[in-house]
């Protein structure tokens, strides 16, 4: 692989950069890694070695066809590049208050950092996963539904829309759109289209994004900034610009030397961050840093919630776990969602400003005397354990995921959650002599099933 000469020239200025090691690593293949869902079992993957900086992260010995693994569709794990999982180390060291946090993942599609954040958050925290590009927001929504957390809401907004939420967020994560050089081993398109001009354009866009959301971060709030670019303009240069423009303090936790991560300090303002160089750390190119906002900021408070919707309670409460309390909101014409009571005021405030793809847990809609359950409910961590379910084998589960009719013996009438290894995949309605497959069309597997899986 021919690394662009201008990029190598730029990197020679970075302390800790080893050109021979770096170019050598670019002639080898990238690892495949996954992060297991901490609340689920049943993944069934063969794990080769742990990712040292992430409790649930593992390298795989080989790359399976994830599309043909029903456990993937049931949210047992997320396929994620190992360097990106270092977010966990930053989070655990920089975000010491883990009470009821409001967290924004601004550039969230397809959902790697957001699924990770959802698993790291505790108590009454709320995670807003945002993606500005509409079709990417659809993929984000799908991945977040699969991950199953009610306290995760998905939005599709431009960063500038968040400026109205003055001092609202405790933590903002910006995994910025960038020139992508860190992914050269996985994405030859990034290599073919790399140019210095694009690096400069990306750095300008990154500054604009930070300017747009800065008002939304509260005083002492934390900004986590990441790129998958090696270019200093987008990494150290961005940190220098940030410290020159805003009142911030650098947060740079220690890292064990054996992880092979390269700690950096920006040349002008001495802001700490971390670089991942393939060949040194076991992962792809990645940059991440955390800063704390020091300037005073007003704080917008959530609006007080008004009367709850009680008419659907009797229908939906049996579908939800009884270990938690829920509040219900009307999300669309006669469709309802559940949210945590602690987030009622947040919903009222945010719905005036943000375009929701998913607020809380979609429950479905009343249909005559029946309840038409939302797909998300089948994958939710908050679904009641005793919802009638049908456990399928792998071949049947793949057929269900292809949206085909499946032959199941149990034909008592009513709704059933389809499960594989006890992981919810979706709904069928049993009609007595046949079943209707309620998997949403755009969720279906388009790939042909191999003969042994197709039976
Ligand atoms: N955080 C994601 C993850 O871990 O899976 C990856 C995010 S990717 C590096 C950057 C995202 O920023 C892309 O989804 C892209 O669509 C989005 N994006 C592109 N232009 C943007 C802009 N002007 N403002 C905000 N986000 C933008």
């Amino acid at each position: 692989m021919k690394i662009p000469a201008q990029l190598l020239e730029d990197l020679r200025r970075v302390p800790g950069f080893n050109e021979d090691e770096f170019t050598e690593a670019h002639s080898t293949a990238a690892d495949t890694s996954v992060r297991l869902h901490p609340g689920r079992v049943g993944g069934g993957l063969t794990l080769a070695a742990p990712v040292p900086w992430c409790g649930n992260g593992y390298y795989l010995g080989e790359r399976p066809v994830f599309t043909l693994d029903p456990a993937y569709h049931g949210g047992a794990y997320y396929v994620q590049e190992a360097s990106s999982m270092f977010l966990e180390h930053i989070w655990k060291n920089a975000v010491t208050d883990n009470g009821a946090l409001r967290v924004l993942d601004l550039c969230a599609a397809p959902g790697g950092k957001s699924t990770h954040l959802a698993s790291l958050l505790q108590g009454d925290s709320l995670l807003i996963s945002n993606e500005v590009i509409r079709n990417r927001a659809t993929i984000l929504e799908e991945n977040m539904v699969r991950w199953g957390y009610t306290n995760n809401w998905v939005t599709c907004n431009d960063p500038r829309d968040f400026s109205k939420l003055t001092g609202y967020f405790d933590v903002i994560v910006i995994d910025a759109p960038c020139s992508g050089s860190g992914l050269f081993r996985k994405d030859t398109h990034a290599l073919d289209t790399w140019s210095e001009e694009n690096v400069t354009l990306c750095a300008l866009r990154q500054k604009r994004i930070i300017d747009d959301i800065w008002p939304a971060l509260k005083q002492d709030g934390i900004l986590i900034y990441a790129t998958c670019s090696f270019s200093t303009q987008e990494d150290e240069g961005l940190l220098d610009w940030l410290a020159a423009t805003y009142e911030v303090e650098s947060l740079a936790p220690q890292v064990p030397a054996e992880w092979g991560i390269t700690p950096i300090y920006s040349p002008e303002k001495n802001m700490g961050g971390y670089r991942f160089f393939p060949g040194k750390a076991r992962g792809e190119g990645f940059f991440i840093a955390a800063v704390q906002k020091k300037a005073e900021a007003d704080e917008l408070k959530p609006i007080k919630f008004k009367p709850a919707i009680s008419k659907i309670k009797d229908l939906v409460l049996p579908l939800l776990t009884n270990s938690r309390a829920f509040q219900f909101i009307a999300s669309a014409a006669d469709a309802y969602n559940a949210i945590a009571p602690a987030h009622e005021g947040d919903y009222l405030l945010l719905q005036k400003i943000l375009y929701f793809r998913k607020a809380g847990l979609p429950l479905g809609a009343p249909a005559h005397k029946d309840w038409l359950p939302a797909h998300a409910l089948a994958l939710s961590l908050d679904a009641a354990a005793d919802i009638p379910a049908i456990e399928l084998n792998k071949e049947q589960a793949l057929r269900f995921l292809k949206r085909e009719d499946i032959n199941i013996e149990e034909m008592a009438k009513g709704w059933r959650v389809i499960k594989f290894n006890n992981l919810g995949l979706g709904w069928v309605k049993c009609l007595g002599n046949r079943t209707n497959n309620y998997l949403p069309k755009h969720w279906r597997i388009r790939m042909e099933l191999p003969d042994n899986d197709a039976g």
Side-chain angles (χ1 to χ4, degrees):
M1 179 182 299
K2 179 120 184 56
I3 314 267
Q6 302 98 317
L7 178 60
L8 287 174
E9 198 182 312
D10 182 23
L11 280 175
R12 285 182 201 121
R13 292 185 285 158
V14 177
F17 174 66
N18 180 327
E19 190 166 338
D20 290 341
E21 200 175 58
F22 183 79
T23 42
E24 166 70 27
H26 278 81
S27 63
T28 62
D31 275 303
T32 298
S33 44
V34 296
R35 188 168 32 73
L36 304 183
H37 195 305
R40 291 185 168 144
V41 286
L45 291 172
T46 306
L47 309 171
V51 174
W53 45 83
C54 175
N56 290 302
Y58 291 89
Y59 299 100
L60 302 185
E62 55 186 36
R63 191 179 177 90
V65 182
F66 293 111
T67 307
L68 297 180
D69 179 7
Y72 163 78
H73 298 274
Y77 57 87
Y78 189 93
V79 184
Q80 188 180 29
E81 200 287 297
S83 305
S84 289
M85 301 181 197
F86 185 66
L87 173 68
E88 180 167 318
H89 188 73
I90 295 278
W91 178 272
K92 286 185 172 163
N93 286 278
V95 186
T96 44
D97 168 9
N98 220 345
L101 299 175
R102 290 195 205 103
V103 180
L104 169 64
D105 184 8
L106 184 70
C107 311
K113 312 285 179 311
S114 264
T115 49
H116 202 171
L117 290 166
S119 300
L120 291 169
L121 288 183
Q122 292 175 15
D124 277 332
S125 294
L126 174 65
L127 170 64
I128 307 292
S129 303
N130 179 70
E131 169 58 44
V132 63
I133 297 176
R134 278 219 231 145
N135 56 356
R136 289 182 60 82
T138 303
I139 297 165
L140 173 67
E141 181 187 354
E142 209 172 298
N143 282 328
M144 298 316 293
V145 162
R146 197 171 273 142
W147 212 241
Y149 287 83
T150 302
N151 67 343
N152 167 243
W153 302 359
V154 177
T155 59
C156 181
N157 282 79
D158 188 280
R160 92 175 73 88
D161 298 337
F162 289 90
S163 63
K164 299 177 194 126
L165 292 166
T166 319
Y168 186 73
F169 290 103
D170 299 277
V171 183
I172 297 181
V173 177
I174 302 180
D175 190 15
C178 69
S179 59
S181 44
L183 298 181
F184 279 171
R185 287 204 297 191
K186 297 182 96 169
D187 177 7
T188 47
H189 180 71
L191 178 65
D192 297 340
T193 54
W194 189 90
S195 71
E196 277 185 309
E197 294 72 35
N198 190 39
V199 169
T200 302
L201 281 177
C202 286
L204 284 173
R205 182 169 55 186
Q206 288 148 1
K207 289 173 187 169
R208 198 171 63 232
I209 290 173
I210 293 178
D211 282 338
D212 282 342
I213 56 85
W214 196 251
L217 187 61
K218 66 168 59 156
Q219 182 176 3
D220 294 326
I222 289 162
L223 172 74
I224 299 177
Y225 172 82
T227 73
C228 56
S229 163
F230 290 121
S231 294
T232 54
Q233 267 199 78
E234 299 176 76
D235 299 343
E236 289 87 343
L238 206 290
L239 290 186
D240 273 337
W241 168 84
L242 183 64
T245 313
Y246 298 107
E247 218 179 302
V248 289
E249 221 168 68
S250 175
L251 301 171
Q254 296 283 315
V255 285
E258 63 270 22
W259 290 358
I261 297 166
T262 308
I264 60 90
Y265 291 92
S266 65
E268 285 169 24
K269 298 284 185 181
N270 207 33
M271 304 289 288
Y274 303 89
R275 278 180 172 273
F276 287 69
F277 288 122
K280 214 183 222 15
R282 193 169 171 196
E284 300 315 287
F286 185 57
F287 175 84
I288 190 163
V291 301
Q292 188 163 34
K293 177 171 177 172
K294 283 301 168 193
E296 270 183 38
D298 291 340
E299 265 186 51
L300 205 60
K301 294 281 181 232
I303 298 170
K304 223 169 160 357
F305 203 64
K306 298 217 188 67
I309 300 161
S310 57
K311 62 179 182 182
I312 59 152
K313 260 190 177 156
D314 291 347
L315 284 169
V316 296
L317 276 179
L319 299 169
L320 294 166
T321 171
N322 55 17
S323 62
R324 295 184 47 187
F326 297 95
Q327 189 54 272
F328 303 105
I329 54 172
S331 54
D334 221 14
Y336 296 88
N337 287 19
I339 59 172
H343 301 149
E344 293 166 347
D346 298 278
Y347 179 74
L348 282 193
L349 174 69
L350 297 181
Q351 66 159 359
K352 291 178 187 236
I353 296 167
L354 302 180
Y355 178 72
F356 283 121
R357 287 301 188 94
K358 166 181 110 72
L361 167 61
L363 295 170
H368 307 293
K369 282 186 183 152
D370 199 6
W371 184 263
L372 183 65
H375 178 63
L377 190 57
L379 291 110
S380 169
L381 295 170
D382 284 327
D386 58 357
I387 296 178
I390 300 170
E391 177 76 26
L392 298 184
N393 64 30
K394 185 176 178 189
E395 180 219 317
Q396 292 169 316
L398 286 173
R399 288 207 178 282
F400 171 77
L401 290 165
K402 271 187 86 66
R403 227 166 166 269
E404 291 175 5
D405 290 332
I406 41 165
N407 290 324
I408 37 183
E409 278 168 25
E410 183 183 340
M411 282 296 175
K413 285 186 186 176
W415 291 98
R416 303 281 187 282
V417 173
I418 289 296
K419 291 191 172 175
F420 172 76
N421 283 357
N422 207 29
L423 300 159
L425 298 180
W427 294 92
V428 291
K429 191 170 189 186
C430 296
L431 301 171
N433 51 358
R434 64 187 172 89
T435 57
N436 281 347
N437 186 333
Y438 274 77
L439 189 83
K441 273 197 187 113
H442 68 278
W443 278 67
R444 77 178 193 282
I445 296 179
R446 288 179 179 79
M447 191 182 243
E448 283 306 312
L449 305 184
D451 284 346
N452 57 342
D453 286 321

